[in-house]
Amino acid sequence: MKPKNLILTIVLVCLVELNVNAQIQPPNAGFENWVSVGAFQNPENWSSFNNFFSYGVPEMSFKTADSHSGFALRLISDTATIPPPLGTNVLDTLAGYVFLGGADMNNPGIAYTDRPVLMKAFVKGTIISGSEAYIIATLRKWNSITNTRDQVGQAMYFFANSIATYTEVSVAFNYTLSVLPDTLEIKLMGGNVGPGGVIKPGNEIFIDDISFTFPVGIKEENSDQPIVTISPNPTSGKLIVSSLEKINLIEIYNILGEKVLSVNYPIQSGSNEIDLTNYHRGVYFLKTFCSGKTNTEKIVLQ
């Protein structure tokens, strides 16, 4: 059974312009703030293998002033012997691993409900031939049927070669589901610490100033706003736009900020239908012009 569609009555804020970078950024992604973990340190709001220092895990991630700005994160890969229960007292190759949120690796990440377009970061470092390192941001949504978090979208930067000086890198989020996420995970690896991954000693990776880019930002004005009703939202295609005032223009933008629809004839007050049936599922932004004001609301097409 499909959930009932909710009618949302929204007082829309007035837009001055479309811009980017106005949504929520990952916390402490510039690695300026640090907290003690035994004799080691973690970036505040992040965890790492350093959390398991009491089990004999060596320090593999570090605070460093060799940064793009302020402080940065340094990750290495090296050989070490870890005693039980986490190890077997056999020399092994390990890599630094830092992840957003608490140290519970069975419940990673933080609460998050945005859909960024790009992930950016400043990076440099040494990659040993045949080795690798990663920055991976994953957006997930809880699935009450399977009791798992489905992947909504992901952006992954792959370190394939050494980089001598700090360089800005940018990778796009690839979305596989149209729903809004509820969780953000970010994993920073000085080697491939995933199942079956190959780690070689000698990697030294520096990561700083991770940020997200968004398609649309909202700027508010302290003025009276027209009341617009959007229903249903999410929608399967037919969208009802109602206003107490005449709407002179409606524009709809996709997640990349590209205009995909323009209704430029005057729409009288009351209810008016917008047909999005033939558009791809995903997040869109509906922009209305009425009474000299410009307003925007996020809509989800399922």
Side-chain angles (χ1 to χ4, degrees):
M1 180 181 296
K2 293 183 178 180
K4 293 182 179 179
N5 289 318
L6 300 179
I7 297 179
L8 304 179
T9 300
I10 306 163
V11 179
L12 298 179
V13 296
C14 185
L15 285 190
V16 176
E17 61 183 359
L18 293 179
N19 61 19
V20 295
N21 296 326
Q23 305 288 327
I24 297 177
Q25 298 289 342
N28 193 32
F31 308 111
E32 299 306 305
N33 303 314
W34 291 71
V35 294
S36 295
V37 182
F40 305 151
Q41 286 185 299
N42 277 341
E44 188 176 25
N45 301 118
W46 299 71
S47 300
S48 74
F49 280 163
N50 290 348
N51 289 86
F52 307 105
F53 69 92
S54 61
Y55 294 97
V57 177
E59 188 174 16
M60 309 290 289
S61 56
F62 309 84
K63 175 183 179 180
T64 178
D66 183 357
S67 64
H68 172 254
S69 64
F71 295 106
L73 172 67
R74 172 176 170 255
L75 301 171
I76 65 170
S77 61
D78 204 351
T79 56
T81 300
I82 301 178
L86 293 185
T88 58
N89 276 327
V90 176
L91 186 67
D92 201 356
T93 304
L94 308 172
Y97 178 43
V98 175
F99 47 98
L100 185 62
D104 182 2
M105 298 180 70
N106 293 317
N107 188 30
I110 63 170
Y112 195 84
T113 57
D114 280 322
R115 288 173 64 104
V117 177
L118 298 173
M119 177 180 67
K120 297 182 179 182
F122 286 86
V123 302
K124 72 171 186 175
T126 301
I127 297 291
I128 300 301
S129 178
S131 189
E132 52 201 17
Y134 295 89
I135 303 174
I136 305 174
T138 306
L139 296 160
R140 298 189 186 276
K141 174 75 172 181
W142 180 254
N143 186 324
S144 59
I145 297 177
T146 61
N147 289 325
T148 58
R149 281 194 168 90
D150 296 333
Q151 181 173 307
V152 175
Q154 186 176 82
M156 179 173 66
Y157 176 70
F158 172 67
F159 288 80
N161 300 290
S162 299
I163 303 174
T165 60
Y166 272 105
T167 302
E168 185 179 34
V169 297
S170 177
V171 289
F173 275 87
N174 178 32
Y175 285 97
T176 53
L177 296 177
S178 62
V179 299
L180 293 177
D182 58 23
T183 302
L184 167 65
E185 301 172 10
I186 302 181
K187 301 176 181 179
L188 312 174
M189 304 179 187
N192 189 347
V193 301
V198 176
I199 303 174
K200 293 188 176 184
N203 283 355
E204 184 180 31
I205 306 301
F206 297 80
I207 303 173
D208 201 2
D209 294 331
I210 299 172
S211 65
F212 291 167
T213 298
F214 300 86
V216 174
I218 296 177
K219 295 184 178 180
E220 296 186 2
E221 289 183 349
N222 294 322
S223 59
D224 293 335
Q225 303 298 329
I227 296 178
V228 177
T229 301
I230 308 294
S231 65
N233 190 12
T235 177
S236 60
K238 302 289 187 179
L239 188 69
I240 303 299
V241 180
S242 302
S243 175
L244 300 179
E245 305 176 27
K246 182 176 72 174
I247 301 175
N248 298 313
L249 174 65
I250 292 178
E251 293 177 342
I252 296 181
Y253 295 80
N254 64 18
I255 193 70
L256 298 178
E258 301 167 334
K259 183 166 63 176
V260 298
L261 178 65
S262 179
V263 180
N264 56 13
Y265 53 84
I267 300 174
Q268 302 302 316
S269 60
S271 297
N272 303 270
E273 183 179 88
I274 302 295
D275 189 357
L276 302 177
T277 304
N278 294 324
Y279 289 82
H280 294 294
R281 293 181 299 172
V283 173
Y284 292 84
F285 298 88
L286 187 146
K287 183 177 180 181
T288 59
F289 301 78
C290 56
S291 301
K293 299 181 178 70
T294 307
N295 309 280
T296 281
E297 175 60 22
K298 181 189 294 184
I299 56 176
V300 177
L301 178 61
Q302 296 182 330

